[in-house]
Amino acid sequence: MKIILIGPPGSGKGSQARLIQKNFNIPHISTGNIFRIMMNEETSLGKEIFKYMSEAKLVPDDLVIKVMKEYLNREEFKNNFLLDGFPRTLEQAEQLENIVDIDIVILLDTHLKIVQKRVLTRMICPYCGDVYNTVSYSKVTCNSCGATLKARKDDNAAIIKERFKEYELLTKPLIKYYKDKNKLKTIDGDQPIEVIFDTIKKMLVSDL
Ligand code: AMP
């Protein structure tokens, strides 16, 4: 199954993606994680991407498409994948249609107040990209790979407000885009992680 997860920053896309990957064996592709790894490796594309990410700006569509085209053509993603953080603009959604057919788009509809609370307690593994929340996870190392967790540079109250605005302006139009294609399923993203995942499980089982 080919799935897209949409929602504002901090809506829990990463957490749900990992649960889906674990329970349904569907590989998780996060553009944010791919870009962070590329930046750390300091490839020429990584250096270009750094210019945008360091200012919490969206990476230009042509660069994003270039990276994603290469990923989505890989054998391991031939039958199943779960996109988290892509597409983020209408242009990206239209370009994605030329690469692959999507089965289902899940929207985590989350309010700014909830998002602000979540990102201020979010920690990320810089090595494998796993995401934790200090409210529910008290260790300082990653449970999957043992690396020391860090806060994301773009997880602060001012930046998150800007990223939320950007979501409203550029990503929200995707809701109508996928609704018109009859692919959109909406979930109340303000609910606890387990409740959201329960709903997703039911959706995916009925679609399999
Ligand atoms: P995320 O981890 O999904 O919150 O993404 C972190 C950052 O990566 C964003 O603030 C953007 O700078 C960049 N990014 C990730 N995905 C995309 C995308 N689809 N289009 C443009 N920029 C992206």
Side-chain angles (χ1 to χ4, degrees):
M1 194 184 289
K2 293 168 180 161
I3 308 168
I4 295 175
L5 271 180
I6 301 185
S11 56
K13 298 187 295 296
S15 304
Q16 296 301 331
R18 263 177 296 282
L19 287 169
I20 297 169
Q21 170 159 301
K22 199 166 146 208
N23 285 268
F24 291 88
N25 205 18
I26 298 178
H28 169 203
I29 307 176
S30 152
T31 40
N33 285 353
I34 292 172
F35 294 159
R36 275 184 285 276
I37 289 167
M38 287 172 81
M39 282 194 319
N40 287 344
E41 287 172 349
E42 298 191 357
T43 58
S44 61
L45 206 53
K47 284 181 189 157
E48 179 72 16
I49 285 167
F50 175 78
K51 287 197 246 163
Y52 302 95
M53 281 184 74
S54 60
E55 292 182 25
K57 290 206 172 100
L58 283 192
V59 176
D61 288 337
D62 56 339
L63 273 186
V64 179
I65 297 292
K66 187 173 166 188
V67 172
M68 290 313 286
K69 207 172 191 170
E70 192 275 313
Y71 260 82
L72 294 174
N73 282 323
R74 290 183 185 179
E75 190 59 28
E76 65 205 278
F77 304 126
K78 200 169 154 214
N79 300 317
N80 291 308
F81 59 73
L82 172 67
L83 291 174
D84 155 16
F86 174 82
R88 235 165 164 123
T89 64
L90 268 181
E91 173 66 21
Q92 291 179 16
E94 280 161 5
Q95 295 277 347
L96 177 62
E97 302 241 321
N98 299 326
I99 308 173
V100 73
D101 259 343
I102 295 297
D103 300 305
I104 175 172
V105 178
I106 300 173
L107 165 68
L108 300 180
D109 198 12
T110 316
H111 291 93
L112 176 61
K113 279 235 146 54
I114 301 285
V115 158
Q116 279 176 322
K117 225 179 181 169
R118 283 187 191 155
V119 296
L120 294 179
T121 48
R122 174 159 73 178
M123 297 296 273
I124 187 165
C125 172
Y127 185 70
C128 72
D130 270 12
V131 182
Y132 299 87
N133 196 294
T134 52
V135 175
S136 53
Y137 187 81
S138 56
K139 288 200 272 178
V140 293
T141 52
C142 175
N143 215 16
S144 304
C145 72
T148 302
L149 302 178
K150 287 188 174 161
R152 276 174 54 166
K153 286 197 182 79
D154 52 356
D155 277 351
N156 69 61
I159 290 183
I160 205 65
K161 214 166 177 179
E162 283 310 305
R163 294 179 68 215
F164 197 90
K165 266 198 226 155
E166 180 184 72
Y167 166 80
E168 300 247 298
L169 188 72
L170 296 172
T171 311
K172 253 194 163 170
L174 295 184
I175 296 174
K176 179 173 175 348
Y177 180 84
Y178 286 117
K179 205 184 238 170
D180 290 349
K181 292 184 183 298
N182 242 338
K183 294 196 170 166
L184 189 80
K185 308 260 186 200
T186 303
I187 301 180
D188 174 0
D190 292 348
Q191 303 175 99
I193 289 185
E194 321 77 64
V195 178
I196 296 175
F197 184 58
D198 249 13
T199 314
I200 291 181
K201 255 198 299 200
K202 285 180 193 134
M203 276 177 187
L204 297 186
V205 168
S206 72
D207 260 59
L208 277 174

